[in-house]
Structure formats: structure tokens, C-alpha cells
Amino acid sequence: MNELVWVLIVDDEPMLRQTLEDILKKRGFAPVSAGTGRQALEELVRREFSVVLLDLRLDDMSGMAVLSRIRERWPDTQCILLTGHASQDSAIEAVNLGAYSYVMKPCDMEQLLLTIRRAAEKWQMAGSLRRSEASYRRLHDSMTDAFVVVDMEGRLLEWNKVFSSMLGYMDEELRQLSYMDLTPVEWRDMEKRMVEEQIIPHGYSEVYEKQYRRKDGSILPVELRTYLLRESNGQPSGMWAIVRDISQRKKDEGEKSRLEEQLIQAQKLESIGRLAGGVAHDFNNLLTVILGYGELVMQDMHKEHPSYESLRLICQAGLRARDLTRQLLAFSRKQLLEMQVVDINMVVKGFEKLICRVIGEDIDLQLVLPAQPLPVKADTSQLEQVLMNLAVNARDAMPEGGTLTIETSLVDLDEQYAAQKPGVIPGRYIQIAVSDTGCGMDHETAGLIFEPFFTTKAKDKGTGLGLATSYGIIKQHNGNIWAYSEPGRGTIFKIHLPLARESLSKGKSVTAEPTDLHGNETILLVEDDLQMRKLTQIILKRQGYTVLVAENGQDALTLLDNFKGPVHLVLTDVVMPGMSGKELSDRICERIPDVKVLFMSGYSGNVIAHRGVIGDGVNFIPKPFPAQALAIKVRKVLEEDAL
Ligand SMILES: Nc1ncnc2c1ncn2[C@@H]1O[C@H](COP(=O)(O)OP(=O)(O)OP(=O)(O)O)[C@@H](O)[C@H]1O
Ligand SMILES: [Mg+2]
């Protein structure tokens, strides 16, 4: 033995003590002597002894009393009783009470030494066992993961605190339960397969996920790995598992996939938008030509003409196509917006009557508008379009009647909110909430509603463009629109538009509708598309105007230089190769300060919108336009200052 073995000799006979001490020292032990029971206990407190040689007869207390104290306080310490023949019975009793052994006096020294050595070995084993048990305990209790041991029948044998608190059970309650009681039915087969296919054949399982049912009935998602326990003969005796609570991770994953879903949806709408926008833009130009010439021919034709009706139908179909194209343009955010700072409450109030008429008498309209104005920079007619689309949808969702509520408010969208919604920039927003008490929709439908042509309505009832258009309009206003709905529980649409920092616009002075659409002013027409140019020229000439025509900005400037008479109006396309319509108008205004400018455009590229061409007080007419609309607009612009 390399470690010192401390032996306490307890005997009231000094001679014997001395002799034993000497012999033990010689044999490499570390002996300490005590003459009384009290002394012995004092020594035991001072240091840990492996072995105590204890005389049963002591002066101050009985050896049995000392033994029981030692058993109680120092259970690893081994006691060897020294006894004479007369007290052999008590010695045997003492062994029954936990003494290691007894040796008869007078002692056979070799036998005594052997007994001491064996006792010391036992002490050492007990000690190391206790130490490893203690460190196992510490490990067990300090584990942040849960730990559980079951037998092959699934009875719970052992677990740590994490396991019981994770499941919300007291230890006594867990003892009455089996592993299957903790496992929801739908997971039992999977886990049984895990045991049969992995744990028993390989000794352990891969890391797998499952759920437990907590005491309160709630579900706990966990991740675990299970190991097999075997008897010494190799028979499986049970299993143990390390279990990790993954509810937070699951929550994060759910959040992430929700965000991803939203992002994918936004990207999908974006790309459909680009496609639709591209097609719609070309259609727009074609339709302008079709409708323009159609209208011109109709004007020249007698109503009795055999082809008149056919022509009218062609134009009617063209108008319908134009409406669809407009909606697609709105969806793809290619509309030219007429931005003004407006109070959203005024927009809603101003539109109340029309909404009432659309939704009918069975539906109650509630407006909840705060007293303070809520300014946003917006194109009023476009916002009205959105409100109308939402109101019509709400009406369709409430065939038996119900309530449509439009509520406006000021909201702060903080970082936390923005983190949950892709594309949202934190800040102050105006919220418009449009809710109905209608049929609602399921999650899958709600995921598709902003896509163009998605409709659940009968063929002639809906085209599926209402919400797509609204989405595009709101996005073009740098806002967001969300739908929240559940089947049978109604639907709420929330729109967020950035709060305008500018003060409310005074609004354009309303120009009276001109009655006479003819004029004799001179108009400079700049348009790069040949057919559009020709058509526009014809329309203007018919109204009596003198029309100067240019194909691009440079030509227009040259033409102006050479033209001697006055020019009253410049009618120019916005997007043209070379010089843009905006640049051209700036250059012309330098030369002729009081010239009027009217822009025409099929769409606004972002560049134009961002450069602020379309702001307060800018005149424009969206392409395609009916001849009549152009005539009216031109007249209005020319007469504006005359008021
Ligand atoms: N308030 C609502 N309640 C229940 N479902 C709705 C609501 N609003 C929209 N939806 C669903 O979303 C779909 C798409 O709406 P959207 O306005 O884009 O097209 P639509 O109303 O079907 O046709 P369109 O508006 O072009 O006439 C609807 O067909 C309907 O299924
Ligand atoms: Mg609709």
C-alpha cells in the first residue's frame, strides 16, 4: 500500500498500546493511541482513520458505544475489536452491528496485522466508491440536460432534477409513472422502433426528436439519445437517455420558417410583378393605338353604318383590356402616382358614401377615426382604389350581412416588429385597419391572395386582381399590407403607410370642367413612339390646335429654336431615349417661362418617381388615354392660370 494507513489504537492498557504502536510503525502503518473512549473520538475528529483497534472494555464508556458513534459518523472507518474470551459474545454482536472483525487477546500479531491490512483495503474501496458516487451525484445534479433511466418495461428508475422539473412532476409522482405515460400516443411507435432497430442491436440510438406530455398536459419538444444498459451476463436490463429541452429552438425555427415564408412570398410577388409590368407596359401602348383609332373612326361613322356596332364592341373590349392592364400596372408598381400630402381620415371620410353604396344595406359600416389628422404622402385616387377593393372583398365575404370597420391610427413599428416582418423599416406609420365579420379564410388561401389572378370567386364574379393591385399600390407608397384571417372569424387587413413629415398640401385648386374642348393654341408634342405620336397629333388637330411634332428632346429644342410663333403647351412623354421628358421640360421652361407642361406616361420607372417629377402641381395624363380624356386634360391645363 503506498498511501499511509492510519490506525487508531483504543485501549486502556498503556503497555499494550505501546507494543501495538511499535509493531504497527515497524510494519509501515501510521498508528495513533487513545486510552479512553473520549480521547478516541477526539482523534477521530482530528483526522480520518482507516482502521480502529477497539478494546471493548474502556474506563469511561463502553467499546460498543464508541463503535456505534464511529459507524454513525465515519461509516468508512473499519473497526476491529480486541476482546478476551469472556466477552467474545459481545464481539460477535459488534460484528453484526457493523464492526469489521474481532481479534482475541492475547493477540496473534501476524493474524492481527493481516486483519488490519484487509480492513484497510476495505476502507479504501469504500472511500473510492463514495468519492466516485459523490462526483457522479454532482455531475448528475449539475447537468443542464435531463437524464433518465428506465427498465426494459419502461418503468422510471432514476432521473435528475432537470428531468422532473422539465416535465412538471414531483419525484414521487414520477415513480408511479412509466415512460409511455410521458410519451404522447403519436410518438410511441416511433420510439418503439428506435428501441428495436437501434438501441438493442447497437447499444445506443442516434440523436432523435420527440415530444413529452407535461403534467399540465402541455407538449414539450425534446431531443435525446438513448443508451442500452446490460446485466453482467449481457442481457439488456434497461436504458438511459440524455434529454434536451428544445422548445426554444423549435420556437425559433418556427419563427424563421414563418419569416422565410413571408420573404419567399414577397419575392414571388416581386417577380410576378416585373413580368406583369413588362407585358402590361407594351399592352398599354398597343391599346392606346387601338382605342385611339377606334374612337376616331367611330366619331366619323354614322350610327346606322353596318359596321358601327362591331366597332363599338371592339372599343368596349379594348376598354376592358385597358382596365385589366391598369390593374396589372398598379400591381407591378409601374403606375404614375400623383403624390400629395393628405390626411388619411379625410380620404376615408370622403369615400364613405361610395363605400356604403357598394356594400349595401345589410352591412354596417363603422368608421373609427381619431380627431387628429394623420398625414401621409399618397395618391388619393389610388388609396381610394385600395379601400374600394377591400370593401368589395369584405362585402363578398359577408353575403348574410355583418360589419365592416375601417379604423385609422398612428402606430410606432419598433425594431422588434420589423425583425418579424421582412421589408419593414422601423418608424412611425399610419395604420389603416379594414376588418369584416365575414367568412374568413384558411392559412393556405391567405398565403395566395396577393397574387394576381388568384380568386376563389366564380368566373364572372372576380378576376383576382383586387388585392394584387392593392398590394402594388401600397408598396409603391413605401407601405405594407398584411392580412390576418381565420375561417369563420372574419378578416382584417392592416395597411401601414409612412407618416408624412411634410405639412398637408393645400390641394390643387379645382378647375371647373371645361365645356368647350376646342382651342387654337400651339402645342409642342414630343413622343418617341411613332404610332402614339401620330394618334395624339390627330386628336389634338381635331380639337383645332396647331401641333408641332418632335420625336425626341433634342429635335424638340431645335424645332423650338426655329419656330417663330408662341408655344403654349408642351405635351411630352416621360421616358424617352436620350433626354427625359423632365429634362426637356426644364430646358424649355428656361426659354419660355410661362409655357405649360403636360406629361404623359404609361408608367413611372422608379427613377422618375424618385426624382420627384410627379409631385404637387405637376400635370400628367396616364397612357393609354381616350381621345376625350386627352382633350379635356389639355384644355384644363391651358386654362389653369386663366382662373
Ligand atoms: N375579406 C375577405 N374575406 C375572405 N376572403 C377574402 C377577403 N378578401 C379577399 N379574400 C380572398 O382573396 C381572394 C382574392 O381577392 P382579390 O380581391 O384579389 O380578388 P377577387 O375579389 O377574387 O377578384 P377581384 O377583386 O379581381 O374582382 C378572394 O377571391 C377571396 O378568396
Ligand atoms: Mg376583390
Side-chain angles (χ1 to χ4, degrees):
M1 242 173 269
N2 4 357
E3 247 183 284
L4 262 191
V5 176
W6 287 89
V7 181
L8 179 63
I9 304 160
V10 191
D11 203 306
D12 53 356
E13 229 176 285
M15 274 280 287
L16 183 67
R17 287 204 305 266
Q18 197 54 56
T19 318
L20 285 171
E21 237 189 276
D22 290 347
I23 295 173
L24 288 178
K25 257 187 207 154
K26 252 187 219 147
R27 295 295 179 97
F29 292 97
V32 173
S33 291
T36 63
R38 258 192 56 200
Q39 266 178 31
L41 293 173
E42 277 166 19
E43 291 295 343
L44 280 159
V45 171
R46 210 167 291 153
R47 78 149 34 83
E48 192 180 4
F49 286 92
S50 314
V51 180
V52 179
L53 299 180
L54 182 60
D55 187 4
L56 272 183
R57 277 178 299 110
L58 296 170
D59 288 346
D60 58 340
M61 49 201 292
S62 80
M64 290 298 258
V66 178
L67 172 69
S68 71
R69 291 287 289 280
I70 295 176
R71 295 297 306 151
E72 219 176 275
R73 283 195 60 184
W74 300 279
D76 293 344
T77 301
Q78 305 299 318
C79 295
I80 299 168
L81 300 169
L82 302 173
T83 174
H85 275 292
S87 50
Q88 196 179 357
D89 285 351
S90 354
I92 293 169
E93 193 196 331
V95 170
N96 288 337
L97 288 176
Y100 176 71
S101 184
Y102 67 92
V103 172
M104 301 279 254
K105 285 192 213 172
C107 303
D108 172 339
M109 268 310 155
E110 286 314 313
Q111 194 210 339
L112 179 63
L113 286 168
L114 188 67
T115 312
I116 292 176
R117 230 169 250 136
R118 289 212 177 117
E121 269 166 26
K122 186 172 176 202
W123 167 83
Q124 202 172 39
M125 261 166 61
S128 54
L129 197 66
R130 187 175 304 283
R131 268 194 297 280
S132 72
E133 201 179 286
S135 67
Y136 162 78
R137 264 289 135 214
R138 272 201 303 280
L139 197 72
H140 190 273
D141 287 341
S142 66
M143 267 170 80
T144 52
D145 289 334
F147 163 87
V148 59
V149 183
V150 297
D151 65 14
M152 291 312 279
E153 276 70 53
R155 274 184 293 262
L156 297 164
L157 301 180
E158 216 187 307
W159 53 86
N160 64 356
K161 285 199 200 91
V162 185
F163 187 77
S164 49
S165 60
M166 190 162 90
L167 291 164
Y169 282 107
M170 310 282 277
D171 286 347
E172 305 79 72
E173 294 170 323
L174 278 179
R175 270 189 268 282
Q176 311 299 320
L177 294 176
S178 84
Y179 194 74
M180 285 303 164
D181 295 329
L182 302 173
T183 304
V185 185
E186 59 270 32
W187 290 96
R188 291 185 190 165
D189 280 349
M190 182 280 288
E191 210 158 35
K192 215 172 131 224
R193 270 204 314 280
M194 202 52 103
V195 172
E196 284 162 5
E197 290 167 14
Q198 296 195 12
I199 304 172
I200 294 183
H202 306 305
Y204 60 88
S205 72
E206 62 193 11
V207 175
Y208 62 100
E209 289 183 10
K210 65 168 280 185
Q211 294 179 333
Y212 285 130
R213 192 184 301 286
R214 291 202 187 86
K215 187 184 176 186
D216 64 9
S218 61
I219 291 294
L220 174 74
V222 293
E223 175 187 271
L224 67 165
R225 169 171 264 169
T226 305
Y227 300 82
L228 190 65
L229 291 169
R230 290 182 191 277
E231 307 267 14
S232 46
N233 65 10
Q235 270 302 103
S237 62
M239 285 167 287
W240 67 280
I242 292 180
V243 186
R244 179 168 296 178
D245 175 351
I246 54 168
S247 41
Q248 185 58 41
R249 190 171 89 197
K250 284 279 163 200
K251 221 175 109 196
D252 293 348
E253 278 171 8
E255 185 82 342
K256 196 169 147 233
S257 70
R258 211 175 48 75
L259 270 176
E260 274 169 5
E261 198 182 307
Q262 283 182 0
L263 198 66
I264 288 171
Q265 209 150 312
Q267 283 167 348
K268 187 160 89 184
L269 290 176
E270 191 76 31
S271 58
I272 305 175
R274 267 200 298 278
L275 180 67
V279 175
H281 182 235
D282 287 346
F283 264 58
N284 229 2
N285 283 338
L286 297 174
L287 284 167
T288 306
V289 175
I290 294 170
L291 281 171
Y293 283 108
E295 222 173 322
L296 289 179
V297 178
M298 265 173 82
Q299 279 174 15
D300 291 346
M301 202 183 254
H302 280 297
K303 290 207 170 115
E304 291 75 35
H305 193 283
S307 296
Y308 186 85
E309 186 55 18
S310 312
L311 191 56
R312 201 182 60 80
L313 289 174
I314 291 173
C315 288
Q316 208 174 48
L319 285 173
R320 172 89 190 107
R322 188 194 62 192
D323 285 346
L324 282 176
T325 313
R326 280 224 177 117
Q327 292 184 64
L328 278 178
L329 278 173
F331 168 64
S332 57
R333 299 172 227 171
K334 293 266 169 69
Q335 292 236 103
L336 209 55
L337 296 184
E338 210 172 350
M339 295 297 235
Q340 254 182 306
V341 181
V342 291
D343 174 9
I344 203 73
N345 294 334
M346 297 309 285
V347 176
V348 175
K349 257 187 234 154
F351 211 49
E352 182 179 3
K353 267 213 188 97
L354 199 55
I355 295 178
C356 276
R357 213 174 320 141
V358 166
I359 59 179
E361 283 171 3
D362 292 340
I363 296 173
D364 186 24
L365 175 67
Q366 299 269 355
L367 298 188
V368 185
L369 310 173
Q372 105 236 41
L374 300 173
V376 286
K377 205 159 183 216
D379 183 321
T380 307
S381 66
Q382 297 291 311
L383 285 190
E384 286 173 348
Q385 175 76 58
V386 172
L387 287 176
M388 183 52 78
N389 291 346
L390 295 179
V392 171
N393 283 348
R395 176 200 67 195
D396 294 346
M398 299 185 285
E400 327 276 52
T403 307
L404 169 65
T405 310
I406 303 179
E407 186 172 356
T408 60
S409 54
L410 187 62
V411 291
D412 266 316
L413 303 183
D414 56 16
E415 302 276 347
Q416 210 184 343
Y417 179 91
Q420 288 169 10
K421 299 276 187 189
V424 173
I425 301 160
R428 307 198 87 188
Y429 287 82
I430 302 297
Q431 175 173 290
I432 312 167
V434 180
S435 52
D436 63 59
T437 54
C439 60
M441 49 193 144
D442 57 29
H443 182 72
E444 201 189 338
T445 307
L448 296 169
I449 53 174
F450 293 116
E451 281 181 24
F453 303 113
F454 173 80
T455 179
T456 55
K457 294 171 190 171
K459 213 161 188 240
D460 51 343
K461 289 273 159 52
T463 45
L465 280 174
L467 287 177
T469 310
S470 306
Y471 181 91
I473 291 173
I474 297 302
K475 285 280 168 186
Q476 207 179 349
H477 280 79
N478 296 320
N480 285 298
I481 177 167
W482 316 99
Y484 304 88
S485 187
E486 263 177 60
R489 306 206 123 172
T491 302
I492 177 163
F493 283 90
K494 277 190 188 168
I495 295 170
H496 293 138
L497 295 171
L499 176 71
R501 291 207 202 93
E502 301 91 332
S503 53
L504 291 173
S505 306
K506 283 170 248 70
K508 276 195 200 169
S509 52
V510 182
T511 319
E513 287 288 315
T515 41
D516 184 2
L517 297 179
H518 290 84
N520 51 16
E521 289 91 342
T522 303
I523 299 175
L524 170 60
L525 165 67
V526 192
E527 161 71 64
D528 62 315
D529 185 285
L530 172 68
Q531 281 173 318
M532 274 297 295
R533 195 163 64 234
K534 274 195 171 159
L535 172 66
T536 314
Q537 188 182 11
I538 294 173
I539 295 169
L540 294 173
K541 271 194 170 156
R542 280 189 170 218
Q543 305 305 122
Y545 299 105
T546 305
V547 188
L548 310 175
V549 187
E551 196 180 324
N552 55 50
Q554 201 47 59
D555 283 5
L557 291 174
T558 320
L559 205 153
L560 269 189
D561 285 343
N562 299 326
F563 185 70
K564 295 290 167 266
V567 172
H568 303 92
L569 174 77
V570 179
L571 173 61
T572 176
D573 193 10
V574 178
V575 192
M576 291 182 297
M579 197 181 299
S580 77
K582 163 76 175 156
E583 198 184 334
L584 174 65
S585 89
D586 288 347
R587 303 264 288 260
I588 296 177
C589 286
E590 279 169 19
R591 297 176 198 200
I592 320 169
D594 57 351
V595 74
K596 302 279 170 50
V597 180
L598 174 57
F599 290 105
M600 51 186 174
S601 182
Y603 74 119
S604 72
N606 274 341
V607 191
I608 312 155
H610 286 158
R611 284 192 189 155
V613 175
I614 309 311
D616 288 3
V618 171
N619 299 304
F620 83 96
I621 180 163
K623 285 199 269 188
F625 39 73
Q628 179 87 349
L630 179 66
I632 293 174
K633 191 79 194 180
V634 165
R635 219 40 254 156
K636 263 189 175 177
V637 174
L638 281 169
E639 284 172 20
E640 236 171 29
D641 255 8
L643 281 175

